[in-house]
Amino acid sequence: MLHSTVGVQRGGGPVATARCISGLMEPVPAPMNDRPMHRRILFVADDPHLHRFLRQLMEPLEGEWQACYCRSGPEALKQLSDGPYTIVVADLRLGGGYCQELLIQTREQAPETVRIVLAGPGDQELLLRVLPLTQRILSKPCDPAELYAALQRTHSLRELLRSPAVVSIIGRLGQIPTLSTLYSRISEELLKPDYSLAKVGELVSQDPGIAARLLQVANSALIGLRRPATTPAQAVRVLGGELTRTLVLAADLFTRYNPARLKPFSIDALWDHSQAVAALAGKIAQSERLDDRSVRDSTLAGLFHDIGQLLLASQMPEAYREVLSLARREGLALAAAEQQVFGATHAEVGAYLLGVWGLHDPLVEAVAWHHAPEQCPGTTLSPLTTVHVAETLLNEQEAGRPNVGYLERLGIEDHWNRWHDLARKVETASREVPLK
Ligand SMILES: [Fe+2]
Ligand SMILES: [Fe+2]
């Protein structure tokens, strides 16, 4: 089994070592160490209008954020060495195709820096090439409320993941799973200007275990293909490169562990539950008319939302048996029992893993706060909302009703009945077309 070691830094914070897989440097997983958080932000854009606009936008935040502005990629690279920066925001249309290079360099030189890209409506092709390198995408023209919320959420997420309770539990884990080699190879392929889905399909075919699980997911109620895919190449053609890449990550994690060693924890039950939440979260996102990216992120976040359970159960099987028996004995929700035994829950542990892997922030925050969405700043409907609602609807006896205060803050508390109907449909569909 592949693992990256989690060492302990001076001061006690965990820091996992960098590694190189297939020639591609993976994000060095040290974004959540215990150094004090500097709220510094670097904006990189060569469009003078955008520059002026960003400066105006940041004016009200001067007390909270120290902002620096660069007009070119090379200037920004020089500025990076004057870091650390909390966030780098780069315009996708940066002259000379410099955005991709800047993101790669930032990932290598300052892996703890969050990478955000500004992209316009016509930038889909370009965007695909930088997706594996970025943690958040903001749309142009830039909406002030969207920018402020993104900065706040980015900051709060890092604060949560570097809290003493999370640092302590991650330190106890000792090891965390590395990114799968197949995921890294697909990422490399997608970074090429002339990437091909046929090549991605070929790569997936080389790992029969993952290929089988990917086909299972593609043909389940989760994705809802009109015609069933029978080969990995067909599945990849329909899913697209980006969705395939992240599904491969989930498929890999769920096939890594020996189920017998983790009993009574059940990997199969977790897989079924995760797929059901993923399917419903995606449907809720569609019904709320979220954009395609948020629909996809809702589905993926649903698939990953309880991954921390798998991590805790596999790395500390004895302690996790204690969690399961405590929950059963005292009628506690799993997260409450985990809190008693570990001082943190599977939500933070799962989010930590996804953060270390460099997955998109909307996915990471959905996992981090799926039991307590009110702790995430912001008033917009996001994958966090859809996963929280889906989890609650499909797990009613454990989670009860959703957090009404949170839904009221978003102004969507009266959508509950509609979501309830969707949940019944997903349950029926998964009985007709089994999720596994
Ligand atoms: Fe769950
Ligand atoms: Fe959960």
Side-chain angles (χ1 to χ4, degrees):
M1 192 190 309
L2 287 168
H3 280 99
S4 69
T5 52
V6 177
V8 176
Q9 253 194 306
R10 228 165 0 133
V15 56
T17 51
R19 70 256 176 210
C20 181
I21 300 173
S22 315
L24 177 77
M25 276 304 285
E26 292 303 319
V28 181
M32 297 123 203
N33 59 33
D34 65 348
R35 277 183 289 165
M37 176 69 84
H38 301 281
R39 299 180 84 174
R40 299 179 73 205
I41 186 162
L42 179 63
F43 287 101
V44 192
D46 48 14
D47 174 354
H49 299 292
L50 182 57
H51 237 263
R52 236 187 340 269
F53 184 64
L54 288 171
R55 279 179 188 274
Q56 280 168 4
L57 276 187
M58 289 305 289
E59 254 170 40
L61 300 186
E62 261 170 19
E64 290 170 60
W65 289 87
Q66 187 190 337
C68 177
Y69 303 86
C70 289
R71 288 184 183 278
S72 70
E75 189 191 337
L77 285 176
K78 234 193 260 162
Q79 195 61 42
L80 264 186
S81 54
D82 184 37
Y85 282 93
T86 315
I87 301 177
V88 166
V89 182
D91 184 11
L92 187 59
R93 295 244 164 221
L94 198 58
Y98 228 100
C99 186
Q100 187 177 14
E101 179 60 20
L102 176 64
L103 295 172
I104 291 173
Q105 291 298 327
T106 306
R107 187 178 68 176
E108 288 181 5
Q109 289 176 32
E112 74 280 12
T113 299
V114 178
R115 302 172 297 273
I116 296 180
V117 162
L118 287 172
D123 289 340
Q124 287 315 313
E125 263 303 300
L126 266 179
L127 194 54
L128 196 60
R129 253 177 276 151
V130 302
L131 274 181
L133 300 167
T134 180
Q135 282 132 321
R136 206 182 272 278
I137 294 144
L138 290 176
S139 42
K140 285 191 294 186
C142 207
D143 172 36
E146 193 192 348
L147 176 72
Y148 298 151
L151 297 186
Q152 238 188 332
R153 288 170 93 116
T154 302
H155 179 69
S156 298
L157 186 58
R158 265 78 206 165
E159 289 285 282
L160 174 75
L161 298 182
R162 46 196 289 130
S163 68
V166 177
V167 165
S168 158
I169 181 72
I170 297 299
R172 281 176 68 192
L173 284 177
Q175 290 181 315
I176 54 168
T178 53
L179 280 168
S180 80
T181 311
L182 179 56
Y183 177 88
S184 302
R185 291 206 177 120
I186 295 174
S187 298
E188 278 180 282
E189 178 62 23
L190 294 181
L191 282 175
K192 293 177 185 164
D194 57 343
Y195 80 91
S196 102
L197 284 183
K199 176 72 185 167
V200 173
E202 243 172 66
L203 288 170
V204 172
S205 311
Q206 286 165 16
D207 188 321
I210 292 183
R213 208 165 267 248
L214 186 77
L215 272 171
Q216 195 185 65
V217 173
N219 289 328
S220 74
L222 177 66
I223 303 296
L225 295 187
R226 281 200 197 95
R227 258 189 297 157
T230 53
T231 65
Q234 279 175 355
V236 169
R237 254 200 314 276
V238 182
L239 296 170
E242 195 45 37
L243 188 53
T244 298
R245 193 174 77 106
T246 317
L247 286 175
V248 157
L249 203 53
D252 172 67
L253 261 185
F254 277 94
T255 46
R256 273 187 200 202
Y257 301 100
N258 175 358
R261 206 178 67 81
L262 311 188
K263 279 184 176 164
F265 180 81
S266 164
I267 297 181
D268 279 346
L270 180 65
W271 177 243
D272 288 349
H273 167 69
S274 303
Q275 285 194 85
V277 171
L280 182 54
K283 294 266 179 294
I284 292 171
Q286 275 170 343
S287 82
E288 295 294 331
R289 302 195 196 290
L290 297 190
D291 58 35
D292 289 351
R293 173 164 306 285
S294 298
V295 172
R296 201 174 58 200
D297 280 349
S298 291
T299 305
L300 292 171
L303 210 51
F304 282 110
H305 78 285
D306 279 337
I307 204 70
Q309 287 180 22
L310 185 56
L311 205 57
L312 289 167
S314 59
Q315 297 298 112
M316 294 190 277
E318 271 314 310
Y320 213 74
R321 276 182 203 113
E322 196 186 321
V323 168
L324 294 173
S325 82
L326 177 67
R328 210 176 25 249
R329 225 174 33 243
E330 304 205 359
L332 295 174
L334 212 47
E338 289 166 350
Q339 187 71 43
Q340 282 193 27
V341 173
F342 300 121
T345 76
H346 64 268
E348 297 95 67
V349 170
Y352 183 93
L353 176 69
L354 301 190
V356 160
W357 280 353
L359 293 200
H360 289 183
D361 266 17
L363 266 175
V364 182
E365 68 187 25
V367 174
W369 283 302
H370 71 275
H371 292 296
E374 74 287 357
Q375 290 174 17
C376 179
T379 54
T380 48
L381 214 146
S382 67
L384 167 64
T385 324
T386 58
V387 168
H388 170 67
V389 170
E391 157 93 319
T392 313
L393 279 163
L394 292 172
N395 202 12
E396 275 174 302
Q397 82 220 57
E398 187 184 304
R401 287 188 64 81
N403 187 312
V404 177
Y406 169 70
L407 298 183
E408 280 174 355
R409 191 171 92 201
L410 270 53
I412 50 171
E413 68 279 12
D414 55 342
H415 298 198
W416 180 252
N417 289 340
R418 177 149 46 98
W419 299 331
H420 203 272
D421 293 345
L422 282 174
R424 300 295 80 86
K425 276 186 197 149
V426 165
E427 280 171 344
T428 311
S430 60
R431 273 195 294 273
E432 285 164 5
V433 186
L435 289 168
K436 67 169 187 171

